[in-house]
Amino acid sequence: MIIFPAIDIRGGKCVRLLKGDFEKETIFSDKPADMAKKWESMGAEYLHLVDLDGARAGAPQNLETVKSIIDAVKIPVELGGGIRTMTDIENVLGLGVARVILGSVAVRDPELVREACEKYGERVVVGIDARDGIVAVDGWGVSGDVEATELAIRMKAAGVGTIIYTDISRDGTLEGVNVEATKNLAEKSGVKIVASGGVKSIDDIKALKNVEASGIEGVICGKSIYMGALDLKAAIKIAK
């Protein structure tokens, strides 16, 4: 199981939002590349980057910052946020991003997801962000009118091998990860799942590790490692 430290980028800075609310932002660093190096130095094997401005704008907005992170570390990074066309995908992968995360477009244009998977294989993953089991799109501001499990099954049919599942109601809250929903999604879809949203402590890592066999590929840790509630080194040790 992989621990993915999250670096959420807004206006070129490393920030965290509460439940995806852009009005509830905490800035953790003016230099995201330095934060990336910190997590790498603590043993991180993979970084999860989100272009928050891109998610709202519908097109990548912070690629210069993303490139600075890629240049600063030796570990792979994945990127989501506003990647909605084949050109966006090609540009992002061309920067050196290991894999792209498709979100809103998975709901609106599943054929593009299929095309991207055919061309880039495992370098394409899908992010399913849900509130009470219903998918949200456009930076979590709009309902996608589809259940998370149904979308996951559709994405598997389109060729997707990995899904990042975020429980929006827990994101940034430190209330604990939704282990049951994550496990159910993995079992019902047959797709590898990366858990996200609400990770509080080492207990969450242990709980996910216990159900890893159901198809849990990893877990994204954000606020918990920034606030010191979760020891990243200890989390990585347990995950392995």
Side-chain angles (χ1 to χ4, degrees), residues 10 17-18 27 42 53 68 76 80 87 95 124 141 148 166 176 182 213 219:
R10 187 181 184 196
L17 305 182
L18 179 63
I27 297 172
M42 293 178 72
D53 298 305
S68 73
T87 299
L95 275 183
V124 177
T166 302
T182 305
V219 55

Side-chain angles (χ1 to χ4, degrees), residues 88-111:
D88 289 339
I89 294 168
E90 289 160 5
N91 289 341
V92 167
L93 292 177
L95 275 183
V97 169
R99 61 186 193 182
V100 297
I101 304 161
L102 304 181
S104 300
V105 73
V107 175
R108 299 202 167 115
D109 191 357
E111 193 53 42

Side-chain angles (χ1 to χ4, degrees), residues 7-227:
I7 297 179
D8 292 359
I9 306 163
R10 187 181 184 196
K13 299 176 181 179
C14 176
V15 308
R16 294 300 296 166
L17 305 182
L18 179 63
K19 298 184 182 181
D21 189 340
F22 281 78
E23 300 303 315
K24 296 177 181 177
E25 173 191 84
T26 302
I27 297 172
F28 283 101
S29 175
D30 289 336
K31 297 179 179 178
D34 288 348
M35 192 60 71
K37 286 191 285 187
K38 176 184 176 180
W39 301 140
E40 182 184 43
S41 73
M42 293 178 72
E45 302 170 272
Y46 217 122
L47 296 175
H48 173 79
L49 312 184
V50 180
D51 181 348
L52 292 172
D53 298 305
R56 290 187 98 181
Q61 302 292 308
N62 285 286
L63 293 185
E64 189 174 320
T65 300
V66 171
K67 186 67 168 70
S68 73
I69 291 171
I70 291 168
D71 291 343
V73 298
K74 294 182 174 65
I75 56 176
V77 309
E78 61 184 19
L79 174 68
I83 303 170
R84 299 182 188 175
T85 67
M86 283 300 290
T87 299
D88 289 339
I89 294 168
E90 289 160 5
N91 289 341
V92 167
L93 292 177
L95 275 183
V97 169
R99 61 186 193 182
V100 297
I101 304 161
L102 304 181
S104 300
V105 73
V107 175
R108 299 202 167 115
D109 191 357
E111 193 53 42
L112 184 140
V113 178
R114 185 185 302 278
E115 182 184 348
C117 287
E118 287 176 355
K119 188 170 183 179
Y120 295 111
E122 292 184 355
R123 297 186 74 187
V124 177
V125 302
V126 161
I128 294 182
D129 308 324
R131 187 181 283 111
D132 298 323
I134 303 299
V135 177
V137 296
D138 295 342
W140 298 353
V142 180
S143 172
D145 295 321
V146 61
E147 289 188 351
T149 302
E150 182 182 344
L151 181 59
I153 292 169
R154 289 182 197 171
M155 290 301 99
K156 182 184 181 182
V160 174
T162 301
I163 286 170
I164 296 169
Y165 173 67
T166 302
D167 184 333
I168 297 170
S169 66
R170 300 195 185 205
D171 194 64
T173 66
L174 297 180
E175 291 177 358
V177 72
N178 194 334
V179 177
E180 196 60 31
T182 305
K183 176 176 176 284
N184 286 341
L185 190 65
E187 290 176 341
K188 290 178 180 178
S189 69
V191 179
K192 289 183 291 185
I193 304 293
V194 176
S196 174
V199 173
K200 177 183 180 180
S201 69
I202 207 74
D203 289 338
D204 289 306
I205 309 304
K206 291 176 180 177
L208 286 167
K209 184 67 177 176
N210 285 339
V211 297
E212 182 180 11
S214 63
I216 310 300
E217 181 187 84
V219 55
I220 294 166
C221 300
K223 193 173 184 178
S224 58
I225 56 174
Y226 286 90
M227 301 295 287

